[in-house]
Amino acid sequence: MLDQTTRSSTAELTLSATVTRASQASDTWAGTAHPSLLDTKTESQLIAFDNERYPHALRSIESPPQHLYVLGRTNQPGDHQAIAIVGSRTASDRGLLTAHRIAEALAHRGHTIVSGLAAGIDTQAHRGALAAGGRTIAVIGTGIDRTYPASNQALRDKIAATGAVVSQFVAGHPASKTTFPARNVLIAGLSKASLLVELNERSGTRIEANIAIEQAKPVLLWAPLLAKAEWAQRFARHDLVSFVDNVDDIAAVLSSADGS
């Protein structure tokens, strides 16, 4: 989480700008394509903002990274109606199964599934998309050559083979308290809407949801797991936040957000 000094000194900034500035101050972001920055082991691409391969969806967000490391392909069919599926690292069995099933169903419909490769909900969202033979994008909070958690290495490789793994940090950069909030900016940015499956009030997933709201994008709360939580009921009072309980309603929100 951001420390109090950072909060106080950036009180006038948006959450997106705050976490981005904190990460830029503490972490090593991708720079120009210098040989020392390229990761030859993973064969990642260092894509500049003005390159046609730079993700179109990120061009319009606040303070987009000027360079990204990417394993896999960008700007593919389905990306224009991508959805972020996120939640707790310590989700219940029911939450994990739910994330998998929703991701699988939406991927079957052609939607790209975006998440953060973390343990728990993120992992199952990626796996669900892959089970459907669909596309998924993992936005990671480390250098492109690292996997966090390490147990997701095989999953990461599968995502790179059929979708994309994206990082704004130089190869070799470890996870830190600022890299994960910063990567949440990209998760929200790549998505038309965000689905929160299962989490508690103090979860870091709330950062991604609040950034999505700043980007004027819908945030969906999975009612079967969150409707009884007081924080979720309060959160749902926001115009861009609503409860959903079926895949058809999620797809309808994505269609509406795409203007179709």
Side-chain angles (χ1 to χ4, degrees):
M1 299 295 291
L2 301 176
D3 60 33
Q4 188 61 45
T5 301
T6 301
R7 291 193 191 97
S8 299
S9 64
T10 59
E12 74 283 3
L13 299 177
T14 63
L15 177 59
S16 178
T18 300
V19 300
T20 296
R21 287 193 179 190
S23 178
Q24 288 173 330
S26 302
D27 306 309
T28 307
W29 281 37
T32 55
H34 187 279
S36 64
L37 295 178
L38 297 177
D39 177 35
T40 55
K41 292 181 180 179
T42 60
E43 298 182 350
S44 60
Q45 309 168 69
L46 185 59
I47 301 177
F49 182 81
D50 60 359
N51 190 294
E52 63 181 8
R53 293 174 297 170
Y54 192 93
H56 299 326
L58 296 182
R59 293 187 181 279
S60 60
I61 70 170
E62 183 178 13
S63 302
Q66 292 303 295
H67 297 82
L68 293 172
Y69 283 109
V70 177
L71 281 166
R73 297 169 294 167
T74 56
N75 301 324
Q76 297 297 302
D79 290 1
H80 72 288
Q81 282 199 335
I83 181 167
I85 299 181
V86 292
S88 174
R89 288 177 168 85
T90 57
S92 66
D93 289 345
R94 183 184 178 193
L96 297 175
L97 181 60
T98 296
H100 190 286
R101 286 179 171 174
I102 293 174
E104 185 174 12
L106 290 171
H108 266 304
R109 298 184 184 208
H111 297 286
T112 295
I113 307 301
V114 182
S115 201
L117 199 64
I121 297 297
D122 289 18
T123 292
Q124 292 306 314
H126 292 306
R127 287 178 176 170
L130 292 171
R135 174 171 164 82
T136 183
I137 299 174
V139 184
I140 61 176
T142 65
I144 197 73
D145 59 331
R146 294 195 173 205
T147 304
Y148 186 88
S151 57
N152 271 350
Q153 178 66 51
L155 175 61
R156 173 184 174 278
D157 292 343
K158 290 179 181 178
I159 294 170
T162 59
V165 179
V166 177
S167 174
Q168 60 201 300
F169 306 107
V170 298
H173 200 290
S176 77
K177 66 179 182 180
T178 50
T179 58
F180 288 108
R183 73 90 145 86
N184 285 339
V185 177
L186 302 194
I187 291 175
L190 287 166
S191 308
K192 285 291 183 181
S194 295
L195 173 67
L196 280 59
V197 177
E198 184 180 28
L199 64 153
N200 60 44
E201 183 173 8
R202 297 182 62 83
S203 171
T205 302
R206 291 284 301 277
I207 294 176
E208 191 278 339
N210 286 320
I211 290 170
I213 291 172
E214 287 183 349
Q215 295 177 359
K217 295 173 179 178
V219 173
L220 309 176
L221 309 176
W222 187 247
L225 290 169
L226 296 175
K228 293 182 179 180
E230 290 186 7
W231 71 264
Q233 295 169 11
R234 294 192 302 270
F235 196 35
R237 295 170 189 164
H238 193 286
D239 289 344
L240 286 171
V241 182
S242 59
F243 285 106
V244 292
D245 61 9
N246 63 81
V247 171
D248 287 341
D249 285 350
I250 297 171
V253 169
L254 289 169
S255 180
S256 176
D258 194 44
S260 55

